[in-house]
């Protein structure tokens, strides 16, 4: 594809939502539209000719309607078009996006009276949700989405409860039917962690208590014939005299046990994460350490960090059995700019030493247009006697246009 054709496709992808704006005005006022488009250009180099670049564009069309005072209906579709690929064709294992259409949201919510001053919000269908045990993570054209039944109740100003059933999970658009498991399909937990024969969904409950000086978050999710996952996170604001700045210390523990006679019947894994945070106005700094038990790796449907959501390469394999990971993260927002930096280094039982650094710069050019650049570099060092070193680079450009 010639350069001028690439530019034309990119511009068309950004302007596509305007074709819907006139139609949106003709709907009743209670039907809200959210139309946006994203241009994503990516390049990655793993060395040994395992490198490539690709670009894709997407249009997101979302609608939300207040059916009644208590009931809400929402739907969202994401259409992705692969614009070009250069160098290694199978760079799509990491990068490219096939032409695809996904439905990350299609739900009905109803606010029932009973629990708490605002009642209980019940939702059925697909929603882009984020929980402490399944944090949302957007690295391409959409964040992960959950399919199931969800209930949320704020019992008081300081206490809230979530519970429900998750049947399947989505990923982000990638190569369909390719070597990577990351595509637009909704998959069950077993498919995500290598036990595709097990069709279990999960049942979960999560409670969060927030007070002035501390917070407590306890959760548990259970997948029949797979495993049970229990987690507890404590955070405490330290008493300091540092002006407007605030220090907080948190600890996050997870325990997993295999269930039944399934693929993970003998599974037993745990993790402990400690984190120290300093926050001053729009600046925050995190530093901490995570330890995974030596007997088994921690099972997660997506390789996302609980603290560091800016990572691109997942180069540190931080959920691997016996891994010890040290992290540092800084975020600063000012006016239309957001800057972030993340550094992780991990040591493993086989004497690997892995590290990754990621930089993010985002600029909001207007109410409708924003640009974001993400850059990552990772390095893996084996035993020095083997002289086996690997490195990788990742660069991504996001251009978002929203009506």
């Amino acid at each position: 594809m010639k350069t001028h054709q690439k530019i034309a496709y990119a511009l068309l992808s950004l302007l596509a939502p305007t074709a819907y704006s006139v139609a949106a005005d003709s709907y009743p006022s209670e039907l809200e539209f959210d139309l946006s488009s994203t241009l994503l250009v990516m390049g990655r180099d793993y060395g040994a000719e395992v490198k490539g670049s690709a670009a894709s564009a997407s249009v997101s069309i979302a609608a939300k309607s207040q059916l009644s005072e208590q009931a809400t209906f929402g739907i969202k579709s994401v259409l992705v078009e692969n614009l070009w690929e250069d160098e290694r064709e199978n760079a799509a294992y990491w990068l490219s996006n096939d032409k695809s259409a996904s439905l990350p949201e299609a739900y009905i919510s109803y606010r029932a009276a009973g629990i708490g001053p605002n009642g209980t919000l019940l939702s059925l269908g697909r929603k882009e949700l984020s929980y402490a045990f399944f944090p949302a993570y957007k690295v391409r054209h959409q964040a992960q989405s959950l399919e199931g039944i969800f209930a949320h109740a704020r019992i008081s100003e300081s206490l809230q409860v979530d519970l429900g059933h998750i049947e399947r999970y989505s990923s982000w658009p990638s190569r369909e039917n390719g070597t990577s498991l990351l595509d637009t399909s909704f998959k069950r937990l077993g498919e995500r962690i290598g036990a595709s024969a097990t069709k279990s969904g999960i049942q979960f409950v999560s409670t969060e208590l927030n007070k002035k000086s501390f917070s407590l978050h306890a959760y548990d999710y259970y997948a029949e014939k797979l495993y049970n996952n229990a987690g507890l996170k404590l955070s405490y604001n330290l008493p300091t005299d540092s002006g407007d700045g605030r220090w907080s210390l948190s600890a996050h523990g997870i325990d997993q046990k295999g269930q039944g006679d399934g693929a993970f019947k003998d599974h037993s894994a745990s993790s402990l994460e400690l984190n120290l945070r300093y926050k001053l106005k729009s600046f925050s700094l995190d530093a901490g350490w995570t330890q995974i038990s030596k007997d088994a790796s921690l099972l997660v449907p997506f390789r996302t960090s609980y603290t560091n959501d800016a990572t691109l390469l997942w180069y540190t394999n931080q959920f691997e059995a016996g891994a010890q990971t040290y992290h540092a993260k800084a975020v600063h927002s000012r006016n239309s700019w957001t800057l972030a930096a993340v550094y992780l280094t991990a040591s493993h039982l086989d004497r690997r030493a892995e590290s990754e650094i990621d930089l993010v710069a985002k600029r909001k050019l207007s109410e409708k247009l924003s640009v974001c650049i993400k850059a990552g570099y990772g390095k893996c060092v084996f035993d020095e006697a083997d002289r086996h070193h690997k490195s990788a680079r990742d660069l991504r450009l996001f251009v978002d246009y929203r009506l």
Side-chain angles (χ1 to χ4, degrees):
M1 183 182 291
K2 297 180 180 180
T3 302
H4 71 274
Q5 290 176 310
K6 296 178 182 179
I7 296 173
Y9 270 114
L11 292 174
L12 285 172
S13 70
L14 291 175
L15 296 175
T18 60
Y20 297 90
S21 60
V22 176
D25 291 339
S26 66
Y27 280 89
S29 58
E30 61 267 19
L31 184 62
E32 301 176 5
F33 272 85
D34 186 4
L35 308 174
S36 62
S37 184
T38 298
L39 170 67
L40 172 56
V41 181
M42 302 182 287
R44 179 171 283 187
D45 184 355
Y46 260 27
E49 299 184 356
V50 183
K51 61 182 179 180
S53 62
S56 54
S58 67
V59 175
S60 298
I61 307 170
K64 185 178 180 181
S65 178
Q66 195 73 34
L67 303 178
S68 68
E69 188 175 347
Q70 293 81 24
T72 305
F73 168 75
I75 190 168
K76 180 179 181 180
S77 177
V78 179
L79 312 176
V80 180
E81 176 67 47
N82 193 13
L83 300 182
W84 79 81
E85 296 178 27
D86 288 327
E87 298 186 62
R88 180 173 174 174
E89 183 179 357
N90 196 33
Y93 182 87
W94 301 284
L95 296 176
S96 299
N97 299 275
D98 276 352
K99 181 178 181 178
S100 63
S102 60
L103 194 69
E105 289 199 323
Y107 65 89
I108 292 179
S109 295
Y110 182 82
R111 188 168 296 278
I115 301 178
N118 297 319
T120 301
L121 182 64
L122 305 173
S123 299
L124 172 65
R126 296 177 176 181
K127 293 194 73 175
E128 292 181 350
L129 296 170
S130 182
Y131 295 106
F133 47 93
F134 292 146
Y137 192 53
K138 182 180 179 181
V139 293
R140 297 203 179 186
H141 293 283
Q142 66 185 61
Q144 283 99 1
S145 179
L146 306 178
E147 178 184 278
I149 303 171
F150 313 95
H152 171 79
R154 180 170 289 280
I155 298 175
S156 65
E157 288 187 3
S158 58
L159 179 63
Q160 63 181 23
V161 178
D162 290 273
L163 56 89
H165 171 86
I166 300 173
E167 185 66 17
R168 298 188 299 172
Y169 315 76
S170 80
S171 185
W172 48 82
S174 185
R175 176 73 74 205
E176 296 286 352
N177 302 316
T179 51
S180 174
L181 294 176
L182 302 177
D183 55 43
T184 57
S185 303
F186 275 75
K187 293 181 172 65
R188 290 183 170 84
L189 179 63
E191 295 177 276
R192 294 296 315 162
I193 60 175
S196 56
T198 305
K199 305 300 181 182
S200 301
I202 75 161
Q203 296 77 48
F204 72 91
V205 60
S206 173
T207 61
E208 187 172 356
L209 177 66
N210 291 290
K211 293 293 187 179
K212 185 176 182 180
S213 60
F214 78 93
S215 65
L216 184 152
H217 196 166
Y219 59 84
D220 186 276
Y221 70 85
Y222 170 79
E224 185 180 5
K225 295 186 178 180
L226 289 176
Y227 64 95
N228 186 79
N229 184 103
L232 179 65
K233 183 176 182 179
L234 297 169
S235 182
Y236 176 66
N237 295 329
L238 301 174
T240 61
D241 296 321
S242 57
D244 296 330
R246 184 180 66 184
W247 291 88
S248 62
L249 179 65
S250 64
H252 187 181
I254 300 173
D255 181 69
Q256 291 183 347
K257 298 294 183 185
Q259 299 294 311
D261 57 356
F264 301 100
K265 62 180 180 180
D266 298 321
H267 175 76
S268 179
S270 61
S271 75
L272 175 63
E273 177 189 71
L274 301 178
N275 187 74
L276 178 65
R277 168 173 291 185
Y278 175 71
K279 184 171 179 58
L280 175 63
K281 297 181 180 178
S282 58
F283 172 78
S284 65
L285 178 65
D286 290 88
W289 164 84
T290 303
Q291 168 73 61
I292 306 297
S293 58
K294 296 182 178 180
D295 295 331
S297 299
L298 200 71
L299 298 174
V300 290
F302 298 102
R303 292 186 299 175
T304 57
S305 169
Y306 292 102
T307 299
N308 304 297
D309 55 3
T311 55
L312 298 176
L313 297 165
W314 310 295
Y315 219 65
T316 51
N317 294 298
Q318 57 189 300
F319 295 125
E320 190 174 292
Q324 290 195 67
T325 306
Y326 295 89
H327 67 261
K329 176 182 179 180
V331 179
H332 178 59
S333 298
R334 183 176 181 181
N335 299 326
S336 59
W337 282 94
T338 298
L339 303 174
V342 177
Y343 176 74
L344 300 98
T345 181
S347 60
H348 298 277
L349 297 177
D350 61 1
R351 303 187 68 179
R352 273 176 298 141
E354 300 175 322
S355 60
E356 176 176 345
I357 185 169
D358 295 278
L359 303 174
V360 177
K362 185 175 182 179
R363 173 77 185 278
K364 189 174 182 180
L365 300 175
S366 69
E367 289 298 320
K368 297 181 179 181
L369 182 63
S370 64
V371 176
C372 180
I373 296 176
K374 297 183 178 183
Y377 175 78
K379 186 175 182 179
C380 177
V381 179
F382 286 80
D383 190 334
E384 288 294 335
D386 294 335
R387 296 184 176 275
H388 188 167
H389 298 179
K390 296 194 302 181
S391 63
R393 290 176 290 276
D394 191 303
L395 184 63
R396 306 187 187 188
L397 167 67
F398 293 80
V399 182
D400 289 295
Y401 179 70
R402 183 178 301 274
L403 289 176

